[in-house]
Amino acid sequence: METSSCREVASKYVLEIKALILKLLALLSEGLGLDSGYLNEKFGKHNQIQLINYYPPCPDPNLTLGLPGHSDRNGITILLQDEVGGLQVLKDGKWIIVKPEKNAFVVNIADQLPVISNGRFKSVEHRAITNSTSSRISLPTFYGPSLDASIGPANELVSKESPAIYRSYTFGEFFDRFFSQELKGKTVLDHFKYCAE
Ligand code: OGA
Ligand code: NI
C-alpha cells in the first residue's frame, strides 16, 4: 500500500480547501452584486490558518465547554468535523447542534463579511461542547485578510438609504481588539460599529 507523509497530505488538504474557499468567495461576491474577485481582493495578501482541534472526553460535560461561544474573526471558515459531533450554532437565542454529515464541510461566515457587506451577511455565533465517552477532532480552516488589509463596507453597498454600519480599519487593528477581549459574543464587531460606544 502506498503511504503518504502527514506533510504531503496536509499540504494537499490546505490547497484544496483554498480552492474551495476562492470559489465560495467569488459566489458570495456575486451574491452582493460585486465583481467575483471583490472579497478576495479586499483580503489583500490574505491569510489562511489551519488548526486541528482535539477535545478529550470529559466525565461530566456540564462542567466544561470545549470552546465557548464566539464568532470567528476572519472572513470565512471551513470546518471538517468527525462523526462524534459537538458543534452548535446560536439561532433565535437557542444553541442548535450541527449534526456531522459524512464527507461534508461546515461553512461559517466570520466577522469580516458583515463589515464588507455592510450588514448583508451575518457572522455565525458558534461553540463546541464535549461529551463523556468519545474524544473529538475538528479541522477548521480560517481564511481572511492579512493584517495590513484595509477593511470596511464596500462603497457599492453604502448609500443614503443604506449608510455605513461599520467604520474602516486595518485588520491588524481588529485583531488587536479581539485579543484584548475574552471570547464573549460579538463585542469585537460592536467596537467597529458607528455610534457603538
Ligand atoms: C473554532 C471552532 C468548532 C469545532 O476553532 O473556531 O469554532 O467544532 N471550532 O471545533
Ligand atoms: Ni470558531
Side-chain angles (χ1 to χ4, degrees):
M1 198 179 80
E2 219 179 288
T3 57
S4 308
S5 70
C6 178
R7 176 189 292 253
E8 273 173 298
V9 175
S11 308
K12 192 148 190 239
Y13 183 79
V14 295
L15 286 176
E16 294 286 345
I17 293 288
K18 181 174 182 185
L20 171 65
I21 288 171
L22 292 181
K23 274 189 201 155
L24 290 171
L25 287 177
L27 292 170
L28 290 170
S29 301
E30 287 174 17
L32 291 169
L34 303 168
D35 290 343
S36 58
Y38 190 93
L39 286 171
N40 198 43
E41 276 161 30
K42 266 274 173 192
F43 293 163
K45 291 194 282 290
H46 85 271
N47 192 15
Q48 180 175 336
I49 297 172
Q50 182 63 53
L51 286 190
I52 301 177
N53 292 325
Y54 175 72
Y55 303 94
C58 177
D60 186 351
N62 290 326
L63 295 179
T64 186
L65 257 181
L67 196 60
H70 66 283
S71 54
D72 296 339
R73 65 189 175 275
N74 48 298
I76 187 168
T77 305
I78 304 289
L79 183 92
L80 179 64
Q81 55 170 346
D82 65 17
E83 68 291 346
V84 175
L87 175 67
Q88 297 183 332
V89 292
L90 192 62
K91 185 169 187 290
D92 303 327
K94 285 199 191 113
W95 289 104
I96 296 177
I97 191 97
V98 180
K99 260 195 7 216
E101 296 283 347
K102 223 175 161 45
N103 299 323
F105 294 113
V106 175
V107 179
N108 277 342
I109 299 290
D111 283 345
Q112 304 314 306
L113 294 192
V115 177
I116 300 171
S117 70
N118 201 28
R120 301 240 209 130
F121 293 140
K122 309 266 180 272
S123 51
V124 65
E125 180 122 19
H126 57 284
R127 68 180 188 183
I129 56 167
T130 60
N131 74 69
S132 56
T133 48
S134 313
S135 61
R136 170 174 181 259
I137 289 179
S138 72
L139 280 77
T141 311
F142 304 99
Y143 191 94
S146 48
L147 290 178
D148 61 353
S150 173
I151 302 293
N155 286 336
E156 294 85 339
L157 302 177
V158 175
S159 64
K160 231 190 197 155
E161 297 74 43
S162 173
I165 301 173
Y166 301 94
R167 69 173 177 84
S168 298
Y169 51 84
T170 58
F171 185 57
E173 205 185 321
F174 191 92
F175 206 73
D176 289 346
R177 185 61 92 164
F178 179 83
F179 278 112
S180 67
Q181 304 235 340
E182 296 228 301
L183 277 181
K184 260 194 254 141
K186 299 199 178 183
T187 50
V188 196
L189 255 188
D190 285 342
H191 273 285
F192 293 89
K193 264 191 179 151
Y194 280 121
C195 315
E197 308 292 320

